Amino acid sequence: MGIEFLVAFGTAILTIVAMPFFDIVTNAMILNSISILSSIFQVVAQFFAKERKHFIVPPIISIVLILAGYVLFIISYLQIRDDREMKIRIGLAIVGTIFISLNWWENYSTLFRNPFLNSISEDIVRSRNLVGILSSVVRILVTAAVVGAYVPLSGRDWSSVTSVPGNVRRVIWILVGIQIVSSALCHWFVVVACKMHAIRRSFLLPVYLATLGVVAAFIAPVIIFYQNLSKTRGANYTMTEYCFDITNGNGLSQNAVWYEKLVWDITHSLCPNDMTNQREIGFLVGSSLCWWLGWVLCTVYIWSLQLQRIERTEHLLVRRMYEGAFMEQSIMLNMRFETQRIKKNHKQDDPVTVFLCATMWHESHDEMMKMIISMFRLDRYRPNKNPNNDVSFESHIYFDDAFKEVKGSEERFVNEYAENLVEVIQMVYKIFTDEDSHIVEESQLGKSQRIIRTPYGGRLEFTLPHGNQLMVHFKDKKQIRHKKRWSQIMYLYYILGWQLNRKYFMHFQDLKKEHDKEFEKETKLRKIMKKEKANTYLLALDGDTDFQPSAVMLLVDRLKRYPDVGAACGRIHPTGTGT
């Protein structure tokens, strides 16, 4: 709460007391200097992490640039007015930005390996909602106190604050609404962009350029208006004369429209600086550029973030709340610095295996087609030939009561429904190989299938065009229990018991024959088995299910985010006729 008090006090002092007396460019750019303490914390934190000292250079340069911006800012305004009031305003502005920069101390508290700071951070995480409520109350009270003290101290009367004309009040409420809506949308889109792995093009570049765009949007009308007046006043018309005319209303029409009023307001803000004095302009541009570059270098670590898909918001951002007064700066500084620190020595996550298990019986041709196309679509989306894949797939179809008797023969043959399924697979195989013509010669259907006699009937194995496996298990009801529930029990035993556990049990049997370090090897092997089980998923499908690869990947990512979840079900959209 002490930090929240200082941050609220700094925000109120900067925005209410100091900024109204500075020009628009300075007000837009001085907000970038609130990254000063974040840069210092990064230097200190990375100094303790000795193996990562080469990342210490950008924040060091950031500190130097921000301090240089402060110096140029002081020189620039002391040249305009070297009196006590101006010095106080400059000091309040600088102190306000430093207080505001305390806002993101949590981002670096765990990096200093200080038990006291770690304990506080853990307590805040456990009671985040209560802390958010209390900090909001503190900010409201501090802001109200600053306004209440500033009005009489500045020699103003409360009537000048409360007696606002109706049209001005309407404009104020419109601006407040725009500020609230745009800030909330900005925060939401930033989170979405990070979760979609569009950090650079949809988050960093737009936010970095936002401040420059605001400055350009304010200065451009002034330049255009000045050029238009120059055509009427002559070629010798100077910027000083332009400032004098606009300030006194000489260049405006009697019934000035909103555009001209905006130009007058911006010009009035910029004219205290001598627009013809290149030295003053240099100080103004130099301080603005130093602050902006310092902020960019302070947040340069975000470029190297290795985020997982649909990363949880609390793992992305340090604080849930955003700062409306300096939105783009706060959203950058709010990105977790510890994420980059952990991910730099990042090794690829353990591979995930998904077994697609479908049950069939008397499905129609169209229903079979939906299922098989979905499996082939997933094969093309996640080819098995790419070693960098984080997810591998294997499809299994359990066909119930697939055999029939033929008179005059002791052998049993597959029925017409099983034959339809094989025809559908061959048809879809041809469709997908025609779309990918470069793999036709490499993998013909005849070479990519195997027929195996099994104790429960038979198995047909296909190698799909992009390397994944599709197995069709034809069940004979005279050999094994039929109906869908028994098919589900069958693939649970087959996949979890046979394919997953059998190889480890064989290793355990081999370890019993050894005597040296048997316990250590067995413990290590059990950890590997546990990890593989945790990264194995069964996707239970019905015979007529149609799905997209992106839906499967989204479900896998959700399950990886929540390891305690044992099962999940998506929304089902029936597409059949109901017969």
Side-chain angles (χ1 to χ4, degrees):
M1 290 301 101
I3 296 294
E4 291 295 327
F5 172 83
L6 293 177
V7 172
F9 183 73
T11 303
I13 289 295
L14 177 64
T15 57
I16 297 173
V17 179
M19 289 178 66
F21 298 94
F22 303 137
D23 62 86
I24 289 178
V25 176
T26 301
N27 286 337
M29 288 302 192
I30 197 173
L31 299 178
N32 295 318
S33 66
I34 63 176
S35 59
I36 178 67
L37 287 186
S38 294
S39 298
I40 295 175
F41 289 152
Q42 287 184 31
V43 172
V44 176
Q46 296 190 31
F47 178 78
F48 285 116
K50 297 180 180 179
E51 71 278 4
R52 295 176 48 79
K53 277 189 176 179
H54 54 285
F55 285 99
I56 212 169
V57 176
I60 289 178
I61 299 176
S62 173
I63 296 171
V64 174
L65 288 173
I66 293 174
L67 293 177
Y70 283 144
V71 173
L72 295 175
F73 165 64
I74 295 171
I75 296 174
S76 174
Y77 273 90
L78 288 183
Q79 285 187 344
I80 300 172
R81 280 181 55 189
D82 189 3
D83 55 13
R84 182 173 177 273
E85 290 186 2
M86 181 56 69
K87 291 178 181 179
I88 292 176
R89 291 163 187 162
I90 293 173
L92 290 176
I94 295 175
V95 171
T97 57
I98 295 174
F99 280 175
I100 295 170
S101 62
L102 287 168
N103 198 25
W104 301 276
W105 69 275
E106 289 181 66
N107 208 0
Y108 311 96
S109 60
T110 57
L111 304 180
F112 298 128
R113 301 175 184 176
N114 187 302
F116 177 71
L117 292 177
N118 292 342
S119 176
I120 293 178
S121 300
E122 292 173 0
D123 290 341
I124 291 176
V125 171
R126 283 195 295 267
S127 55
R128 180 70 69 181
N129 294 332
L130 180 61
V131 171
I133 294 172
L134 294 177
S135 63
S136 299
V137 173
V138 168
R139 292 193 175 211
I140 293 172
L141 295 177
V142 170
T143 304
V146 170
V147 174
Y150 174 65
V151 171
L153 289 176
S154 61
R156 290 179 172 86
D157 188 29
W158 276 105
S159 60
S160 63
V161 179
T162 56
S163 59
V164 180
N167 57 343
V168 177
R169 185 176 300 164
R170 184 169 55 254
V171 172
I172 291 174
W173 282 113
I174 292 174
L175 292 176
V176 169
I178 293 174
Q179 169 71 10
I180 294 174
V181 173
S182 60
S183 298
L185 287 176
C186 177
H187 181 269
W188 186 81
F189 278 115
V190 163
V191 174
V192 171
C194 292
K195 293 185 177 184
M196 293 173 59
H197 282 188
I199 296 180
R200 294 176 177 85
R201 62 181 180 273
S202 299
F203 169 34
L204 290 176
L205 288 178
V207 173
Y208 279 143
L209 298 177
T211 303
L212 300 179
V214 168
V215 174
F218 278 121
I219 294 179
V222 175
I223 296 175
I224 295 173
F225 210 77
Y226 168 70
Q227 291 177 347
N228 293 335
L229 282 179
S230 297
K231 295 178 181 178
T232 59
R233 303 295 174 86
N236 296 326
Y237 189 64
T238 63
M239 184 62 80
T240 304
E241 295 173 338
Y242 166 78
C243 286
F244 178 80
D245 289 341
I246 296 298
T247 304
N248 291 279
N250 297 331
L252 304 176
S253 58
Q254 292 182 353
N255 297 320
V257 296
W258 68 269
Y259 175 81
E260 293 178 333
K261 292 180 180 179
L262 178 64
V263 171
W264 178 89
D265 203 13
I266 298 172
T267 306
H268 188 269
S269 172
L270 292 172
C271 278
N273 297 296
D274 189 354
M275 306 300 290
T276 60
N277 190 328
Q278 295 182 356
R279 185 179 179 183
E280 289 191 18
I281 297 299
F283 285 138
L284 177 64
V285 175
S287 61
S288 302
L289 190 60
C290 286
W291 286 328
W292 184 78
L293 291 175
W295 169 57
V296 170
L297 290 175
C298 176
T299 56
V300 73
Y301 68 91
I302 304 177
W303 289 84
S304 60
L305 285 181
Q306 299 293 328
L307 300 176
Q308 300 186 26
R309 287 185 298 269
I310 59 173
E311 188 76 78
R312 298 181 70 175
T313 305
E314 55 264 33
H315 294 164
L316 285 173
L317 305 176
V318 181
R319 299 170 56 88
R320 292 183 182 177
M321 296 184 295
Y322 56 85
E323 305 294 334
F326 25 86
M327 186 65 203
E328 60 269 29
Q329 291 83 10
S330 66
I331 200 69
M332 285 286 198
L333 299 173
N334 203 21
M335 296 294 292
R336 283 197 180 272
F337 181 74
E338 62 179 8
T339 305
Q340 187 260 352
R341 182 174 180 266
I342 295 172
K343 296 292 183 179
K344 193 59 188 177
N345 295 325
H346 174 73
K347 59 181 180 180
Q348 188 176 5
D349 292 339
D350 297 317
V352 172
T353 303
V354 178
F355 292 96
L356 289 80
C357 302
T359 55
M360 287 189 176
W361 179 48
H362 285 176
E363 277 73 16
S364 64
H365 182 275
D366 292 337
E367 292 173 338
M368 292 179 182
M369 184 70 73
K370 291 178 182 178
M371 168 63 67
I372 301 304
I373 288 178
S374 298
M375 291 181 173
F376 273 77
R377 203 158 44 204
L378 188 59
D379 170 66
R380 184 171 59 184
Y381 180 80
R382 269 292 191 270
N384 194 33
K385 300 175 183 178
N386 186 357
N388 296 322
N389 281 345
D390 55 350
V391 181
S392 59
F393 295 94
E394 188 174 302
S395 302
H396 294 265
I397 299 175
Y398 291 82
F399 207 99
D400 211 24
D401 192 13
F403 289 86
K404 64 180 179 180
E405 295 180 353
V406 177
K407 292 183 180 180
S409 175
E410 297 181 356
E411 295 288 335
R412 290 174 62 80
F413 299 89
V414 294
N415 56 28
E416 62 273 18
Y417 295 101
E419 291 176 352
N420 288 340
L421 177 62
V422 175
E423 291 177 2
V424 168
I425 294 176
Q426 293 174 344
M427 185 184 308
V428 175
Y429 193 101
K430 187 175 184 304
I431 292 173
F432 275 79
T433 50
D434 288 343
E435 292 181 359
D436 302 320
S437 57
H438 62 284
I439 63 175
V440 174
E441 297 180 358
E442 300 175 5
S443 179
Q444 295 295 332
L445 179 58
K447 300 178 182 179
S448 301
Q449 65 182 14
R450 295 173 57 202
I451 302 175
I452 302 173
R453 186 185 296 271
T454 62
Y456 55 81
R459 183 169 72 246
L460 186 59
E461 297 182 356
F462 291 95
T463 301
L464 301 184
H466 293 277
N468 291 292
Q469 296 292 319
L470 168 61
M471 300 183 186
V472 183
H473 304 267
F474 294 112
K475 294 171 55 181
D476 188 348
K477 67 179 181 180
K478 290 190 175 183
Q479 304 293 333
I480 193 172
R481 293 287 295 267
H482 65 293
K483 295 190 177 180
K484 183 179 296 186
R485 288 294 175 265
W486 290 103
S487 293
Q488 293 173 337
I489 293 173
M490 177 182 172
Y491 67 63
L492 286 172
Y493 271 106
Y494 175 74
I495 293 173
L496 299 180
W498 176 260
Q499 289 203 352
L500 187 58
N501 287 335
R502 177 177 175 272
K503 56 184 177 182
Y504 291 104
F505 290 154
M506 294 179 65
H507 286 303
F508 289 142
Q509 294 294 332
D510 295 337
L511 287 176
K512 289 182 179 180
K513 302 176 183 178
E514 301 179 4
H515 300 287
D516 298 335
K517 299 182 179 179
E518 176 183 342
F519 179 76
E520 294 181 4
K521 291 183 179 179
E522 183 177 352
T523 303
K524 183 178 180 181
L525 192 60
R526 289 190 182 279
K527 289 182 179 179
I528 296 174
M529 181 177 67
K530 184 178 180 181
K531 184 181 295 185
E532 185 174 355
K533 285 182 177 181
N535 292 312
T536 300
Y537 299 93
L538 300 181
L539 179 59
L541 302 168
D542 206 357
D544 57 350
T545 307
D546 183 16
F547 59 90
Q548 295 293 331
S550 57
V552 179
M553 295 303 301
L554 181 62
L555 182 59
V556 172
D557 290 335
R558 288 288 187 186
L559 291 172
K560 288 170 67 178
R561 296 281 73 72
Y562 303 95
D564 294 335
V565 175
C569 179
R571 288 187 293 269
I572 303 300
H573 302 278
T575 58
T577 59
T579 59

